[in-house]
Amino acid sequence: MPYQSILLFMHVTCFAAWFGTVLASLFLLKTLESRLTGTAEHASEDALLLREFIKRETKVADVSFIGVIISGILLASFFHGWTLWVSVKSGLIVLQVALTMGYIVRAIQPLTYPCSAETFRNWYKLFAISLGMFALVLGVTFFML
């Protein structure tokens, strides 16, 4: 099997795993929403569950992100070349991480549970940013590269 195919497989698999961690978090938060915005009795229990999940999900997302970066650099260096569109895609990935991390620090970390439904919507805004950037990266990848 040629090295390019192996690297491309790794790149796509890592990207899918990174995307999957975001979707898994979205589904868990949607499931826990009523309990995290409800009474204090359930909220403390579920907040602990959420923190533990996010800690483990972050490890998977970090490994997946590093895999995307390393395989992408190797693909660009040895097979595809450093074209304008590769640079655009790289910039979009950096922008995605910057926007996501910035929003987490500003709006998600200060959350305490139970919280109001309006405050809980900050989670959905985070997913809108992240999933929107995934769509943009995929659009550039499939329609412009």
Side-chain angles (χ1 to χ4, degrees):
M1 182 181 253
Y3 292 115
Q4 182 179 10
S5 296
I6 293 169
L7 282 173
L8 189 57
F9 176 77
M10 286 176 49
H11 190 67
V12 170
T13 302
C14 287
F15 191 84
W18 182 23
F19 182 76
T21 60
V22 173
L23 289 178
S25 296
L26 173 62
F27 295 141
L28 177 71
L29 279 159
K30 187 63 181 161
T31 301
L32 294 177
E33 180 178 8
S34 63
R35 294 174 60 109
L36 290 171
T37 57
T39 64
E41 164 190 338
H42 294 294
S44 61
E45 224 174 79
D46 291 334
L48 182 62
L49 172 68
L50 177 61
R51 272 193 291 280
E52 189 63 32
F53 175 83
I54 295 296
K55 187 187 319 179
R56 292 171 192 264
E57 178 264 346
T58 301
K59 289 179 185 178
V60 174
D62 289 348
V63 169
S64 301
F65 174 74
I66 291 167
V68 167
I69 298 301
I70 291 172
S71 61
I73 289 170
L74 292 173
L75 281 166
S77 296
F78 297 121
F79 301 105
H80 193 67
W82 290 96
T83 64
L84 172 66
W85 291 114
V86 169
S87 298
V88 168
K89 179 181 174 186
S90 300
L92 287 173
I93 288 175
V94 169
L95 180 63
Q96 176 178 2
V97 171
L99 290 173
T100 302
M101 294 307 295
Y103 193 79
I104 287 170
V105 168
R106 185 176 71 76
I108 301 300
Q109 284 182 342
L111 288 178
T112 57
Y113 304 101
C115 64
S116 68
E118 294 79 31
T119 307
F120 194 82
R121 285 192 196 115
N122 287 343
W123 277 107
Y124 296 120
K125 293 174 188 173
L126 172 66
F127 292 118
I129 292 168
S130 188
L131 295 174
M133 289 303 297
F134 273 121
L136 189 58
V137 168
L138 287 171
V140 166
T141 300
F142 287 114
F143 299 116
M144 296 182 186
L145 287 180

